[in-house]
Amino acid sequence: KENTDATDSNIEMRENLTIINDTIYDEVLNPIGTVLSKQIIRYSETDPERKLYEINFTWPEIDVSFAGADLINETMLAYLESSIAYMEEMAGDYEEVGLSFSSGFSGFSYRDDHYISFLQEEYDYEGGAHGMPYWEPFTFQLQTGEKLGLSDVIANSEEELKEIVTEYFAQKINEAPEEYWENALDIVRDEITLESNFVLTPEGIRFYFEPYLLAPYAAGFPEVIIPFAESTFHASFI
């Protein structure tokens, strides 16, 4: 894939956004597309030496040979633009801090001729001892460009899903209960819904929770993979 599409995308974004510094590179993801990278730095209008915020962003651009590429790429650009809008809003409240936000494409956790699934690994600093990491999941149908939720993938009821995911987290927590909050399993059962975050992997569906929710910050993202055999899938997904 030539660099033309990546360059056109970069030019379009530069026209729509105020970008002080920006970089772009290509990493070919045969046969899916290209990884783009952008850095955005905003300085104070009254004090040009003071940085208000910095954003570093890498994301996949899907090759136009896939029918759903335009919609997928629009979704990812909208995601970047919403992150910029958030930082603009926060900069007014935290003007002295020097905010930073990064969102990095982690590579495809799953891909075949029909679906791709991946995480954007985020880190948001708004002052204090450390920032907060987040994971933003994306699962797309390559031919339609549709962003899929759990209810598009599995036919299980929400109660069935809660039972399955809670059982797998129970196995994980029982291996080292001292590493989790005492009520961690109750939190899993309460929090898991058909709107929960997930990504696909070759082994199954990966569920995770943000730091602090089930365990201390140092534990990172508690996660389990539910084998595909444990779920009932929609016929359109199989």
Side-chain angles (χ1 to χ4, degrees), residues 10-105:
N10 191 36
I11 291 173
E12 179 182 355
M13 292 184 67
R14 186 180 292 110
E15 291 174 346
N16 293 335
L17 304 169
T18 302
I19 299 171
I20 308 301
N21 291 335
D22 90 289
T23 58
I24 189 164
Y25 71 87
D26 290 343
E27 177 185 335
V28 177
L29 301 171
N30 290 326
I32 303 297
T34 302
V35 176
L36 303 183
S37 176
K38 184 168 292 292
Q39 181 186 69
I40 303 168
I41 300 177
R42 169 84 184 276
Y43 292 91
S44 170
E45 294 181 0
T46 57
D47 181 3
E49 298 298 318
R50 182 161 55 81
K51 183 165 61 176
L52 294 178
Y53 66 77
E54 178 177 339
I55 297 177
N56 290 281
F57 211 91
T58 62
W59 75 102
E61 182 181 64
I62 305 305
D63 192 277
V64 293
S65 60
F66 294 95
D70 286 346
L71 181 55
I72 294 172
N73 294 336
E74 288 172 8
T75 299
M76 297 309 298
L77 286 177
Y79 168 58
L80 171 56
E81 289 173 350
S82 68
S83 300
I84 296 168
Y86 172 77
M87 293 301 284
E88 282 283 348
E89 180 180 353
M90 296 301 290
D93 296 329
Y94 294 86
E95 193 165 335
E96 303 300 324
V97 173
L99 306 176
S100 65
F101 175 82
S102 64
S103 179
F105 172 59

Side-chain angles (χ1 to χ4, degrees), residues 173-197:
I173 291 172
N174 287 339
E175 294 174 359
E178 71 281 359
E179 297 179 4
Y180 297 85
W181 308 135
E182 289 185 2
N183 62 339
L185 271 184
D186 293 333
I187 296 172
V188 171
R189 185 179 294 277
D190 289 343
E191 293 290 328
I192 287 293
T193 72
L194 289 173
E195 304 299 319
S196 291
N197 292 331

Side-chain angles (χ1 to χ4, degrees), residues 100-174:
S100 65
F101 175 82
S102 64
S103 179
F105 172 59
S106 66
F108 294 118
S109 63
Y110 183 92
R111 70 180 188 183
D112 60 21
D113 292 338
H114 305 287
Y115 303 98
I116 55 173
S117 195
F118 60 93
L119 289 169
Q120 289 287 135
E121 297 184 349
E122 302 181 350
Y123 190 80
D124 185 11
Y125 179 75
E126 298 174 3
H130 58 73
M132 275 296 294
Y134 300 94
W135 288 351
E136 186 71 23
F138 293 90
T139 298
F140 290 106
Q141 217 280 5
L142 283 169
Q143 299 309 315
T144 65
E146 180 185 6
K147 185 176 184 289
L148 303 180
L150 270 175
S151 57
D152 300 311
V153 174
I154 62 173
N156 300 79
S157 69
E158 189 163 276
E159 190 56 37
E160 289 172 336
L161 179 66
K162 285 179 181 291
E163 290 296 327
I164 295 170
V165 177
T166 301
E167 177 185 347
Y168 273 80
F169 265 104
Q171 296 174 19
K172 187 180 184 71
I173 291 172
N174 287 339

